[in-house]
Structures are given as C-alpha cells and as structure tokens.
Amino acid sequence: MKRETCSLRSAVYFVNCLREYMDKYELLKNINRILIIRMGPLGETLQTTPVLKALRARLEKAYLAMMVTEDRVELVSANPHLDAVVIYDKSAPKLINKLCKHRFQMALILQPTFRLVLLTFLAGIKYRVGFETNGGGKLLLTVPVRNNQNQHETDRYLDVIRALGIQPVDREIEMGVTCEAEEWAQEFLTCAGISPQRLLIGINPGSFWMYRRWPEERFAQIADKLVAEYDAQILLTVGPSEVGLGEEIARLMCYKPVILSNITPMRIAAAFKQCDLLISNDTGPMHIGIAVGTPTISLFGSSNPNKWGPIASKHSIIHRNGMETITVEDVMEATYRQIKCKS
C-alpha cells in the first residue's frame, strides 16, 4: 500500500512538473519583444549580463531591450545580445509613453521596486516577471520570483529567467567595447609611451567607500615591485573625485606610472582590455575589468566576494577581514600566479 502511494505521488509530481514546463513554454512561444530592467550601481548593472546572453540563446529572433539610467548606458550599449537600450525617464508619463512605443510584451524587472512594476503595468506590458517587491509583494506581477539574496548577485538575477524555464548559458559577466573606444585606448597608450612588447598592469586604487580601499602606500609598493621584477608598465586608473589619490600614489612610487582619470566607462573598458592584468579594490571598475575578460586580482576586506566577486577561474580573489590586513606579499603572490598562467 505504501509503495503504491509513493508511486502515485511520484506520478502526480511528474505530471505537475510537466504541466509547469508546458505553461512556461506556451508563455514564451509567442513572446518576441522583451524589456529587461535594472537601474543601479555599475557592478549590479554588469552582473545582469548573463541574463541577456541566456535570453538571446533561447529567443534568438526576439527584440531585446534594456532600460538603465543615462549614466549606465555605456555599460550595455555595445552588448551583442541587445537590440536597443532604453533610457529611464523620471517623468512617469514620459516613460510610459516611451515604453508604449516599443510595444513590449514582457518585462523582466531585475530589482524589487514596486514603482517599476507599476510603470510597466501602466505601459500595457502584459507579462511582468520579477522579484516580490518590498512595497507590493506579488501585486501586478505575472510571475513573481523569490528574492534570494543569499547567493551571488548574478545568480539572483538568473533566478528571474529560471522562473520562465530558461537556463543560463554561463554565469560570466560581459561588456562590449566599441571600435572607437579601442582606437582611443591604443592611441592614448602609444602617446603615453606604453610598449605592446612589455607587460601592462592596470591598478585601480579607488572606491567610493573608504573601507574598501587598500592603503595607497601599498599600491605604490606593489607597483614598484611589478616594475622591478617583471619590467611591467603601470596604468593607474582613478575616478573624477580620485585624481589626488592617483597623484599621491605616483608620488610615493620610485617609477613613473601612466595615470588615466576622469574618463567614460567605455574608455575605461577599452583601456583595461589592453592590460595583461588588473589589480583592483572591490569597486565598479573591477567589474569592468572582469567584464572585458582581463585577468583580475580583486581585493576584498569586509565586503563579500561570494556575492560580488568574479566567477571565472582566470581571476583571483584576496579576501581578508579588513583591507589593512592584505599584505603586499599577498598581492605579489597572486600576481606571480597570474603571470605564470599567462606565460
């Protein structure tokens, strides 16, 4: 009797799974215009790119557009899986009108923001898939998704397409770089005296959050060691508010680095693409380096590399209880392993 009950339960479970799969298949079968939404920091925006790759693999001929804020456009404008980028407008009527013109059939909302769910509803987007929101729970969502934050950020976004029966191609982030930006980077580096025959190592010493910064004198020490031991060329990249940081590190160094400051995300990506290695704090440009495929050594203190760190094995993570406890020797050892792999 028990055996028959177990068999019946298994059969019911199988039928329910099959029905769920068929429902998802039927839902996607006639969908050919999809909007993906993620508005947030640089890193979070790039962490969504495996979603785009999986969607394109599953829905080869679909029209895929991503909505971001204006300052994030360059992160996805050259993504090979997108057909268009929609710039977010703070004016609800203007945004609704803009979305209506695209005639989207489905919206994937990759952040738990009820306002975005409501706006897509008002724009007449029939299917709305996203996280249960803090403000509205499952309200107005066609397919609500549990917001599991106890995993890598990329996997959190991939949960949204998994809810539709779409499996990821891989979990690696990517950023397309325009030919114009690549030409600019090559010209800049040539004019700065960078030789393509020697190692070029990028160092990104800044961060908006001070607790995520490795001490500047250690960046200077590691840069000097890389020049002395590997005849490396050093490219220091700093943001508009970090110019003084770059100048201070250069002052502390025995050798002269090339400083790159106050440029666009696309040009940063193009410059990092020319580097043989990138050493960076846990900050936005770190994600850009990873996204263009440059082997990266990521320095993590109290922030969580299991949620924000690089996934691919070609990258290295140094994680300690605080940035002060990461030594120059730690970074040199990781650099040695990276250079050995490259050679």
Side-chain angles (χ1 to χ4, degrees):
M1 186 65 179
K2 287 184 179 179
R3 187 174 300 172
E4 290 176 358
T5 302
C6 289
S7 299
L8 181 59
R9 286 176 179 171
S10 298
V12 170
Y13 176 76
F14 174 78
V15 169
N16 287 338
C17 288
L18 182 61
R19 183 182 293 126
E20 183 179 352
Y21 173 81
M22 292 304 295
D23 288 345
K24 292 173 181 176
Y25 176 80
E26 288 297 322
L27 177 62
L28 289 172
K29 190 167 67 171
N30 297 315
I31 298 293
N32 51 37
R33 299 185 71 83
I34 300 176
L35 174 67
I36 303 98
I37 303 174
R38 180 61 174 106
M39 292 176 300
L42 191 157
E44 281 89 327
T45 303
L46 287 173
Q47 296 286 2
T48 66
T49 54
V51 170
L52 309 181
K53 187 185 297 184
L55 286 169
R56 180 57 70 202
R58 175 68 180 272
L59 304 168
E60 186 178 341
K61 296 180 180 180
Y63 177 83
L64 303 180
M66 185 164 185
M67 186 165 76
V68 294
T69 52
E70 190 169 8
D71 58 344
R72 302 296 181 230
V73 169
E74 287 193 340
L75 301 177
V76 293
S77 60
N79 187 288
H81 311 299
L82 286 176
D83 297 292
V85 177
V86 177
I87 299 176
Y88 175 74
D89 197 313
K90 290 182 179 179
S91 166
K94 288 181 180 179
L95 180 60
I96 291 168
N97 184 55
K98 185 186 294 188
L99 296 181
C100 286
K101 289 179 179 178
H102 282 269
R103 296 178 290 108
F104 292 116
Q105 299 162 298
M106 177 179 283
L108 305 183
I109 305 151
L110 304 182
Q111 58 194 90
T113 306
F114 180 69
R115 184 171 188 271
L116 294 173
V117 179
L118 178 60
L119 288 169
T120 55
F121 170 77
L122 295 174
I125 302 177
K126 185 175 181 180
Y127 300 105
R128 299 165 303 280
V129 186
F131 300 118
E132 299 173 7
T133 63
N134 296 331
K138 300 178 182 180
L139 185 64
L140 300 183
L141 285 169
T142 314
V143 181
V145 180
R146 188 171 73 91
N147 187 13
N148 177 13
Q149 300 201 53
N150 296 319
Q151 57 181 334
H152 197 282
E153 191 71 358
T154 295
D155 288 311
R156 188 166 76 95
Y157 301 136
L158 288 170
D159 279 349
V160 174
I161 58 167
R162 289 186 183 111
L164 294 171
I166 300 175
Q167 294 304 315
V169 176
D170 57 49
R171 299 164 63 236
E172 295 183 27
I173 64 175
E174 60 183 332
M175 178 177 172
V177 180
T178 63
C179 294
E180 180 185 4
E182 290 195 355
E183 289 170 4
W184 173 86
Q186 289 169 1
E187 182 179 353
F188 170 83
L189 294 172
T190 300
C191 291
I194 297 296
S195 169
Q197 278 72 50
R198 294 167 56 199
L199 276 177
L200 176 60
I201 297 180
I203 290 181
N204 182 66
S207 174
F208 176 79
W209 304 102
M210 295 301 294
Y211 73 89
R212 293 185 181 180
R213 289 189 183 184
W214 199 40
E216 55 197 42
E217 65 274 12
R218 295 187 195 176
F219 272 118
Q221 291 168 27
I222 197 72
D224 278 340
K225 279 180 172 289
L226 292 170
V227 177
E229 296 188 26
Y230 296 107
D231 190 31
Q233 303 162 106
I234 303 300
L235 178 67
L236 270 178
T237 59
V238 290
S241 62
E242 300 167 343
V243 175
L245 173 64
E247 292 173 346
E248 177 61 15
I249 291 173
R251 187 189 67 79
L252 292 170
M253 288 176 61
C254 299
Y255 300 94
K256 185 179 179 182
V258 173
I259 300 178
L260 186 58
S261 63
N262 198 20
I263 60 169
T264 65
M266 184 62 75
R267 287 187 170 182
I268 292 173
F272 283 165
K273 199 172 179 181
Q274 298 293 319
C275 292
D276 297 288
L277 178 67
L278 172 65
I279 301 171
S280 176
N281 296 323
D282 168 30
T283 186
M286 174 196 78
H287 296 286
I288 291 180
I290 295 165
V292 298
T294 300
T296 299
I297 298 173
S298 305
L299 309 182
F300 280 82
S302 56
S303 50
N304 184 2
N306 294 324
K307 185 174 180 64
W308 302 108
I311 290 173
S313 59
K314 69 188 293 183
H315 307 293
S316 301
I317 295 173
I318 299 175
H319 182 210
R320 301 290 184 268
N321 290 332
M323 297 299 277
E324 290 280 349
T325 61
I326 297 175
T327 66
V328 172
E329 289 70 29
D330 289 333
V331 181
M332 276 302 294
E333 184 179 342
T335 302
Y336 170 76
R337 290 196 302 268
Q338 287 283 7
I339 293 174
K340 185 178 180 181
C341 289
K342 189 173 180 63
S343 59

